[in-house]
Amino acid sequence: MSTSWKQLLFQSVLLLISCRPTQTKTSGPTPPPLVPISPLATDVRSVVLKGESHTEKVELVNPVDLELECIWSGNLNNLPNITGFWRKGGDEIENSRLAVQLENEKYHLKRVFRIVGEENLGSYSCVFGNEAKVDFILAAPQMGEVRDKPIVSYVGDSVVVVCKMEATKPKPLSWNWYKANGTDKEQIFFAAESHQYEIKNKEGTTKLVVHNLTEADSGFYNCEAVYAIGTTMGHVELKVITLWEPLKPFIAILVEVVVLVAAILLYERSQSKKKCSGENGTNAEQSNTLTQAENNGPEESSSMRQRKV
Amino acid sequence: MTSNEPKAKKSGGGGGAEAAEDGDWNWALVGALFVSTSLVFGLMRSLGVFFVEFVQYFEASAQSISWISSTGLAAQQFFSPLGAALCNAYDTRVVVMTGGFLAALGFILASQATCLVHLYLTMGLISGFGWGLVFTPMVATVVANIERRRALALGLGFSSIGIVSFIFNPLFQFLVETYAWRGALLILGGLSLNIVACGALVRPKRRSKAPEKVDSEKSSSCSSLLGRLSSYLELPLLLERPYLTYTLAVTLLNVGYFVPYFHLVAHSRQVGFSEYQAAFVMSAAGASDILGRVASGWFSDLGHFRLIHLLSLWTALAGVFIMLLPISSLSGSYAVLMVISLLYGFCSGALTSLVFAVVPMIVGVERVMGAIGLLQLIESGAGLLGTPLSGLLKDVTGTYTASFVVAGGFVVLGTLAMTTLPHYFSCTDPPAPRRPSHGEKDKSLHLELEQINSSPPHTNHGGGQ
């Protein structure tokens, strides 16, 4: 009994000394014993590989113990034993190399990963010898519809910038908004209370309302969906223009209409002048055609025509 | 008989240049009708792009946004008689130009809207009022001035609605993306100003309406004012049986003939076809609609049949095809649905170019302006009835079958009503009725007009032209 206590004390002291944030290449680091290990939910993803490689997207919301399983049916020469190992990112996970036996014409690789935070997400691969692999892309739910065209609004007006997580995907815990200021690194975080900005969150949608727009408000706005496992970003572009922009084509059309109307009226006036200055009787004939004011029938009309000629 | 000859001589001899010029002007008039109709109805139909933006900006429901176009259409139809009366009293050119200006003003003001009510008032009321001052006068002017190729002129003019919707939808989408809805509405206002140019093409008429209308002897007493008002609005038409019958027929027609355009897509999806298949059926029906308008106009003017017979043929066929639509899609065959939709599209287009061409046969060329105005007003009630009714039937029965059958039934009823017109079953057109005349001068004037209305294109006399 006392030996085990001594061992525990020794380990704790060691860990206290070495407890510094380090970049581990291993997957799912076990949390330091100081923090009680809470039981996580478990999930299994299994892929049966038919060809040489396959990519599987895994969407995670909460911290989970994720078991990844790869089943390979092999190729023409199925050796009874091959080497299989796991990779995270591009690097091989330590101590993950195994000898895989052929069972029922298939090779099995299985490993449990503890996914608790952003650093645990990424690409995990199981590799069979040098011949086949399956990539698992672990990520928080991504936003599907990204509006590629900018939202346009006017100076002095208010605008609603929307970010939506698809209804089929799980809803984020909260949303954050940032405005890209110059380079990517600098982002302005929007405070909850502000006279110019309003943030309305409803289920899977977040709306950023910007009042009293100025041209400086143009640019990229990034919305961040926060999940227990990590965050995903979406971006929307806002363009603020003055009323002068649409006024340009409007004035062009206005000028076109005025020119057309003037041309039509002038043409008509010149035509009627021609008629008036031309034959004297044309007017009389016109009024005949239009009003049919023939009182006494055919004779009258023929005599009138004779007079004209 | 004899008085026709000098008329023919006159138009052939000294008036050669003038007839040619009139021909040119007639085509300019058809062009003006094309443009103004596209800017009234073509515009109205393509406003869907804006509604999406309005829903988001004003955070309103889709239904309250759809009231904007309903208000616009209702205003256009309601103010039609007023437009007609103003044209009868004053100059058509000025009325149409004013209408164009008002329509443009409505959109320009709408671009500054800060609440939904602003949109109802500007895009709905003001623009609708402007459209009312434009559509009826333009149609009546074309009907009154073009005799020989009346149906073709109308067919060409109305085909603009379908053709232009292929242009306006992507154009408006682009405008909204580049300038947001405010800028896009401003530019639409500018586009609507082109109606003013169309109005300028309408020549002031130099008819002797003056002696009929202005009674210089009577002082402007209340009764004479009312009398003048009623004559401008052509209210006595409402007491004439032929006109009433025709109005009833057109109203019944309007209840049903447009229903497929509203519900065909939803019905196709419900039966099981994909979104693209359903949309393609609609586009195909729209394309055959355009074809039907022009083809029917051209064919009617050949003069082989009376216009009223052709119109009843097209309406009967349209009614039958509407009733066949649900049956064809229930059978599950996409080809059958496509064929019937194409046929329906063709017939519904064919009848639209004839509906107004028949009016001068019934009321006489002189009264066409007021007649069309009143017709627009009365048939607007049908529009208000038709769509909600079909929607209600769908909600009650669960499928669109009942809606289509009822809609087709209304169209067939309208055809039957048309058969009760006087002289329906005769092979030649009856003489058109004339306005009660006030003197010798006017009597002979109307005699001439009567001859014109029963002139060669529509009877065997004089041969084909």
Side-chain angles (χ1 to χ4, degrees):
Chain A
M1 249 330 186
S2 58
T3 354
S4 55
W5 275 112
K6 269 194 207 157
Q7 273 182 347
L8 196 62
L9 194 63
F10 181 61
Q11 277 175 357
S12 313
V13 170
L14 266 180
L15 276 160
L16 273 172
I17 295 167
S18 61
C19 203
R20 233 171 268 149
T22 48
Q23 190 77 14
T24 50
K25 287 191 187 161
T26 58
S27 64
T30 51
L34 293 167
V35 177
I37 302 172
S38 50
L40 290 180
T42 52
D43 198 3
V44 178
R45 295 294 157 105
S46 174
V47 170
V48 177
L49 182 64
K50 289 275 157 64
E52 278 188 10
S53 77
H54 176 79
T55 310
E56 178 91 355
K57 287 199 184 138
V58 180
E59 193 178 272
L60 298 171
V61 181
N62 293 312
V64 67
D65 276 327
L66 185 66
E67 179 181 298
L68 296 176
E69 182 180 5
C70 306
I71 303 168
W72 188 39
S73 45
N75 52 18
L76 295 170
N77 348 332
N78 277 350
L79 305 166
N81 274 325
I82 57 169
T83 334
F85 62 93
W86 290 89
R87 278 203 204 122
K88 179 178 188 296
D91 311 306
E92 190 177 322
I93 300 170
E94 287 175 17
N95 305 326
S96 64
R97 252 175 209 269
L98 294 174
V100 183
Q101 311 229 333
L102 186 65
E103 294 166 46
N104 296 334
E105 305 297 315
K106 292 201 175 42
Y107 299 100
H108 289 255
L109 256 184
K110 225 195 287 193
R111 193 181 172 101
V112 178
F113 299 94
R114 174 152 271 223
I115 316 290
V116 286
E118 194 103 41
E119 65 276 10
N120 303 132
L121 298 173
S123 165
Y124 291 81
S125 312
C126 62
V127 186
F128 292 96
N130 278 324
E131 293 150 38
K133 69 177 169 97
V134 179
D135 294 318
F136 293 89
I137 316 278
L138 271 56
Q142 301 289 316
M143 286 178 236
E145 32 177 288
V146 178
R147 188 184 164 140
D148 52 350
K149 301 221 169 72
I151 297 181
V152 180
S153 192
Y154 289 90
V155 174
D157 202 1
S158 40
V159 72
V160 179
V161 186
V162 180
C163 258
K164 212 163 33 167
M165 182 60 74
E166 279 148 39
T168 51
K169 298 208 173 155
K171 318 228 177 297
L173 296 173
S174 67
W175 291 92
N176 292 323
W177 279 97
Y178 303 93
K179 181 174 188 299
N181 192 12
T183 59
D184 286 313
K185 305 263 172 66
E186 296 177 44
Q187 299 210 2
I188 302 172
F189 180 75
F190 288 124
E193 279 100 52
S194 170
H195 67 278
Q196 202 186 1
Y197 304 104
E198 250 181 85
I199 300 184
K200 297 183 195 171
N201 298 335
K202 189 174 141 184
E203 293 180 1
T205 314
T206 180
K207 293 189 188 163
L208 174 71
V209 186
V210 189
H211 299 290
N212 287 331
L213 286 167
T214 60
E215 279 182 310
D217 288 321
S218 304
F220 276 93
Y221 287 76
N222 297 316
C223 55
E224 191 180 49
V226 178
Y227 290 96
I229 196 70
T231 63
T232 46
M233 291 273 252
H235 61 267
V236 188
E237 190 188 347
L238 177 68
K239 226 166 81 163
V240 182
I241 56 178
T242 58
L243 209 62
W244 177 238
E245 290 292 318
L247 215 54
K248 287 187 280 197
F250 175 76
I251 290 179
I253 300 175
L254 188 64
V255 167
E256 169 247 326
V257 169
V258 168
V259 164
L260 260 182
V261 172
I264 293 170
L265 292 177
L266 283 174
Y267 177 75
E268 203 180 287
R269 197 161 296 176
S270 72
Q271 288 293 87
S272 64
K273 270 193 194 151
K274 248 193 254 173
K275 277 194 214 142
C276 280
S277 58
E279 301 128 358
N280 281 332
T282 319
N283 271 339
E285 189 182 20
Q286 268 188 343
S287 53
N288 277 340
T289 320
L290 290 171
T291 66
Q292 313 286 339
E294 287 176 19
N295 301 321
N296 297 319
E299 285 170 26
E300 181 88 20
S301 66
S302 55
S303 62
M304 278 177 92
R305 223 178 299 125
Q306 280 170 358
R307 257 183 276 144
K308 266 182 265 144
V309 172
Chain B
M1 204 55 165
T2 44
S3 50
N4 261 328
E5 280 152 15
K7 174 184 161 292
K9 262 198 227 163
K10 243 197 301 184
S11 56
E18 197 186 289
E21 190 203 288
D22 264 0
D24 289 338
W25 177 59
N26 282 346
W27 289 117
L29 199 58
V30 173
L33 179 68
F34 186 95
V35 173
S36 56
T37 308
S38 69
L39 286 172
V40 172
F41 286 109
L43 203 90
M44 236 196 266
R45 286 199 195 177
S46 306
L47 287 179
V49 177
F50 288 96
F51 293 163
V52 176
E53 300 291 316
F54 289 154
V55 166
Q56 204 181 44
Y57 185 86
F58 293 105
E59 293 184 349
S61 72
Q63 198 177 27
S64 51
I65 298 289
S66 71
W67 270 105
I68 298 175
S69 70
S70 306
T71 316
L73 182 63
Q76 184 264 321
Q77 287 171 324
F78 183 76
F79 288 114
S80 282
L82 178 63
L86 285 172
C87 287
N88 280 334
Y90 305 108
D91 196 4
T92 309
R93 165 181 276 171
V94 174
V95 174
V96 175
M97 287 173 90
T98 313
F101 176 74
L102 282 174
L105 186 69
F107 278 95
I108 294 170
L109 290 176
S111 72
Q112 304 301 313
T114 51
C115 66
L116 208 55
V117 177
H118 289 171
L119 288 179
Y120 292 147
L121 288 176
T122 54
M123 269 173 86
L125 209 58
I126 300 181
S127 288
F129 179 49
W131 292 330
L133 291 182
V134 166
F135 184 67
T136 296
M138 285 302 300
V139 172
T141 308
V142 167
V143 166
N145 282 300
I146 302 181
E147 296 159 29
R148 281 178 45 198
R149 305 246 180 101
R150 195 173 274 155
L152 178 63
L154 286 176
L156 283 173
F158 293 153
S159 68
S160 66
I161 302 177
I163 294 173
V164 121
S165 68
F166 287 121
I167 304 173
F168 275 178
N169 274 314
L171 176 68
F172 291 1
Q173 183 70 36
F174 168 75
L175 285 177
V176 168
E177 277 169 15
T178 321
Y179 298 113
W181 62 266
R182 287 189 193 273
L185 279 181
L186 186 65
I187 295 175
L188 278 197
L191 275 180
S192 297
L193 276 179
N194 282 304
I195 300 178
V196 177
C198 295
L201 277 172
V202 176
R203 292 205 184 149
K205 40 181 204 284
R206 277 164 275 166
R207 300 193 184 191
S208 63
K209 278 206 177 284
E212 293 179 49
K213 292 277 160 47
V214 178
D215 257 329
S216 49
E217 294 167 4
K218 292 186 191 167
S219 57
S220 58
S221 64
C222 202
S223 61
S224 84
L225 206 67
L226 280 178
R228 277 169 60 191
L229 194 68
S230 100
S231 79
Y232 288 151
L233 285 169
E234 307 286 3
L235 287 179
L237 276 175
L238 293 173
L239 298 172
E240 286 181 23
R241 206 197 122 223
Y243 181 71
L244 271 183
T245 318
Y246 188 68
T247 310
L248 176 69
V250 173
T251 309
L252 287 171
L253 190 67
N254 265 297
V255 173
Y257 104 100
F258 216 69
V259 164
Y261 283 112
F262 281 122
H263 295 309
L264 191 57
V265 175
H267 174 64
S268 307
R269 306 274 341 269
Q270 201 181 42
V271 165
F273 297 116
S274 76
E275 255 183 43
Y276 286 113
Q277 282 177 315
F280 188 61
V281 166
M282 275 303 298
S283 306
S288 70
D289 179 290
I290 298 173
L291 186 67
R293 284 174 203 231
V294 179
S296 133
W298 169 78
F299 180 70
S300 319
D301 287 324
L302 291 179
H304 297 309
F305 301 99
R306 276 182 67 192
L307 286 189
I308 191 72
H309 291 160
L310 284 175
L311 180 61
S312 2
L313 171 73
W314 297 126
T315 53
L317 281 178
V320 165
F321 289 134
I322 295 177
M323 289 202 277
L324 283 180
L325 272 172
I327 301 171
S328 74
S329 45
L330 283 175
S331 74
S333 161
Y334 185 64
V336 175
L337 175 67
M338 182 60 102
V339 164
I340 299 206
S341 303
L342 283 172
L343 288 171
Y344 156 73
F346 188 84
C347 293
S348 79
L351 68 90
T352 48
S353 50
L354 289 179
V355 167
F356 292 117
V358 169
V359 173
M361 307 290 149
I362 300 171
V363 303
V365 170
E366 280 273 307
R367 297 191 288 177
V368 148
M369 181 75 77
I372 294 182
L374 285 175
L375 183 65
Q376 285 265 295
L377 175 66
I378 297 171
E379 75 180 13
S380 69
L384 287 173
L385 172 68
T387 326
L389 178 65
S390 63
L392 180 70
L393 281 172
K394 192 259 168 184
D395 290 335
V396 165
T397 63
T399 65
Y400 288 100
T401 315
S403 314
F404 282 126
V405 170
V406 166
F410 269 105
V411 174
V412 171
L413 263 181
T415 315
L416 291 175
M418 249 185 264
T419 59
T420 65
L421 280 170
H423 300 283
Y424 182 79
F425 293 103
S426 71
C427 281
T428 60
D429 278 317
R434 50 188 183 212
R435 199 195 301 271
S437 51
H438 298 292
E440 284 290 301
K441 198 168 158 192
D442 296 337
K443 238 190 199 161
S444 55
L445 180 139
H446 289 294
L447 204 62
E448 282 298 305
L449 285 172
E450 199 183 295
Q451 302 290 353
I452 297 170
N453 285 331
S454 51
S455 64
H458 308 293
T459 63
N460 295 326
H461 171 80
Q465 292 193 7

